[in-house]
DNA sequence: TCATGTGAAGACATTCACAGCA
DNA sequence: TGCTGTGAATGTCTTCACATGA
């Protein structure tokens, strides 16, 4: 099994390369890819070893074929269906980002409990009441959910999500979810990062 | 210097404990604090060693005094002034989160370039044109900036930010910023996390 | 007995340094 | 010469295991 860190970088490389194809760059050296991806050249080379891709010492890596290898490894052929629960600012932000980028992600349905946020179409995506979560997720075989509800609803909604068969949750609520260990959880605390950076700027140099 | 990981957990402990004070819990064991903070018991004990806090083997840690030690270490007495550049969904989400939580963060000013988003008061916070970034940040001695502008504006706005004296940036644009090494950068890519979780759910077990 | 504090080990990640290649 | 690929070294994080204490 590959580590989360390497996985993260591989996804980042893919994205960097995708941007390059528009500029018609055909070849790239490890130090260049490193620069635009926020990694070190050695990291790039080691990461590409992991997916079994080899470059040439003269021309570095071929953008097109490397991209293909990355797409293969990251299964970028099949669309990944995603449910988004909580149609607030964060939810909408993610929705718009995903719509505006080349990803294999597809937000299939939105959920909320506020009357004025359900049974609507937002950016091409239909919103349902949370009560329909189970039905819609099972029908569409959705395995990934993004949780952008208020803190005090997060735990119970998360439980509802995994009852539908969802086994990966991206959690934006600033609270630790208590779920079975086989569920993949990624916590994205928006405030904690700011506090962290604030501390670091005060205590660096 | 303390590591980012430990720092992150310390902030998390502080938050967990704060929630406990409302329930009038006075003592807590490392395994309990670990559970509600998403860490392991040993991590808790080691992290608290770092800040020089000691508990008792009978009653564990005293919530109140531990909280005090954490506040001390994390400088939670002084407010940290923050600028938020980009009044879109992400920006508003962060603004609302910060207003609704007990933090030492204070968003002092908002910036954008859209006419309908400037010279307004949003959730008690005034919004300015980005042209005023330098003036406002210097006047208020702002050192931290949250960057929530579209991808293609991110690099140039980030440069403007550091010219004002800001030396810590939380970047939500899905692009690697190219800034001097003494600037603290925290990248918060909202899409990458989803791609990562999607891959992990497909390849786990 | 049960929890803390911590040396030591283990696991993981990054970087160094250089062989090999065109 | 300047790059890739990689063994070895280093650094960092986590966990183990247990002495200590009430």
């Amino acid at each position: 099994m590959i580590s989360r860190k390497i996985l993260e970088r591989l996804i980042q490389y893919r994205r960097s390369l995708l941007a390059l194809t528009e500029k018609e760059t055909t070849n790239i050296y490890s130090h260049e890819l490193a620069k635009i991806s926020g990694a070190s050249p050695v990291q790039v080379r080691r990461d590409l070893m992991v997916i079994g891709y080899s470059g040439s010492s003269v021309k570095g890596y071929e953008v097109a074929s490397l991209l293909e290898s990355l797409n293969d490894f990251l299964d970028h052929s099949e669309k990944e269906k995603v449910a988004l629960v909580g149609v607030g600012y964060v939810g909408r932000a993610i929705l718009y980002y995903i719509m505006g980028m080349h990803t294999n992600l597809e937000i299939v349905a939105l959920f909320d409990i506020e009357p004025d946020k359900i049974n609507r179409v937002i950016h091409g995506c239909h919103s349902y009441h949370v009560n329909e979560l189970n039905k819609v997720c099972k029908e569409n075989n959705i395995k990934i959910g993004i949780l952008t509800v208020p803190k005090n609803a997060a735990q119970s909604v998360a439980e509802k999500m995994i009852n539908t068969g969802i086994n990966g949750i991206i959690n934006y609520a600033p609270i630790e979810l208590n779920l079975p260990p086989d569920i993949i959880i990624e916590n994205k605390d928006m405030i904690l990062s700011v506090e962290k950076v604030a501390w670091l700027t005060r205590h660096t140099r």
Side-chain angles (χ1 to χ4, degrees), chain A:
Chain A
M1 184 49 53
I2 197 182
S3 78
R4 287 198 177 204
K5 284 203 166 171
I6 295 180
L7 177 57
E8 230 164 81
R9 287 199 299 263
L10 290 173
I11 297 172
Q12 183 59 63
Y13 300 152
R14 180 186 169 278
R15 190 183 290 175
S16 301
L17 291 170
L18 213 54
L20 286 180
T21 56
E22 286 160 22
K23 293 183 187 149
E24 295 177 8
T25 310
T26 59
N27 291 81
I28 191 168
Y29 294 123
S30 63
H31 68 267
E32 297 171 315
L33 182 53
K35 181 83 181 290
I36 58 177
S37 304
S40 78
V42 187
Q43 276 177 329
V44 168
R45 299 204 293 273
R46 285 218 112 95
D47 292 345
L48 299 191
M49 267 177 70
V50 171
I51 64 167
Y53 185 87
S54 286
S56 115
S57 58
V58 175
K59 308 182 79 184
Y61 304 102
E62 273 184 54
V63 173
S65 75
L66 174 51
L67 202 41
E68 203 175 330
S69 292
L70 283 168
N71 281 338
D72 268 9
F73 186 86
L74 301 170
D75 326 295
H76 243 267
S77 48
E78 31 190 309
K79 278 272 175 189
E80 185 74 45
K81 292 178 186 173
V82 180
L84 199 163
V85 189
V87 187
Y89 286 125
V90 186
R92 283 167 207 251
I94 294 171
L95 183 58
Y96 279 60
Y97 268 132
I98 287 185
M99 297 301 183
M101 282 181 85
H102 281 284
T103 71
N104 64 335
L105 303 172
E106 180 183 7
I107 296 194
V108 174
L110 311 175
F111 299 90
D112 209 300
I113 50 167
E114 301 283 336
D116 60 324
K117 288 181 184 166
I118 67 183
N119 282 317
R120 293 179 50 189
V121 173
I122 299 167
H123 216 75
C125 198
H126 196 279
S127 64
Y128 302 87
H129 191 282
V130 168
N131 290 344
E132 301 194 64
L133 192 66
N134 199 49
K135 182 166 156 283
V136 176
C137 288
K138 279 186 176 152
E139 274 174 12
N140 290 282
N141 192 32
I142 294 175
K143 294 294 173 198
I144 315 291
I146 303 174
L147 185 59
T148 55
V149 304
K151 181 166 69 169
N152 47 14
Q155 177 66 34
S156 77
V157 173
E159 286 166 13
K160 281 188 186 125
M161 286 164 83
I162 66 174
N163 281 338
T164 70
I166 283 177
N167 52 18
I169 292 181
I170 297 92
N171 171 38
Y172 277 89
I175 194 167
E176 185 65 25
L177 298 177
N178 202 342
L179 300 174
D182 59 322
I183 304 293
I184 308 282
I185 303 175
E186 176 82 5
N187 289 308
K188 306 254 74 182
D189 193 308
M190 304 181 89
I191 304 308
L192 200 144
S193 320
V194 185
E195 298 187 290
K196 183 168 59 163
V197 170
W199 192 93
L200 288 169
T201 58
R202 285 196 303 272
H203 293 82
T204 303
R205 177 172 19 120

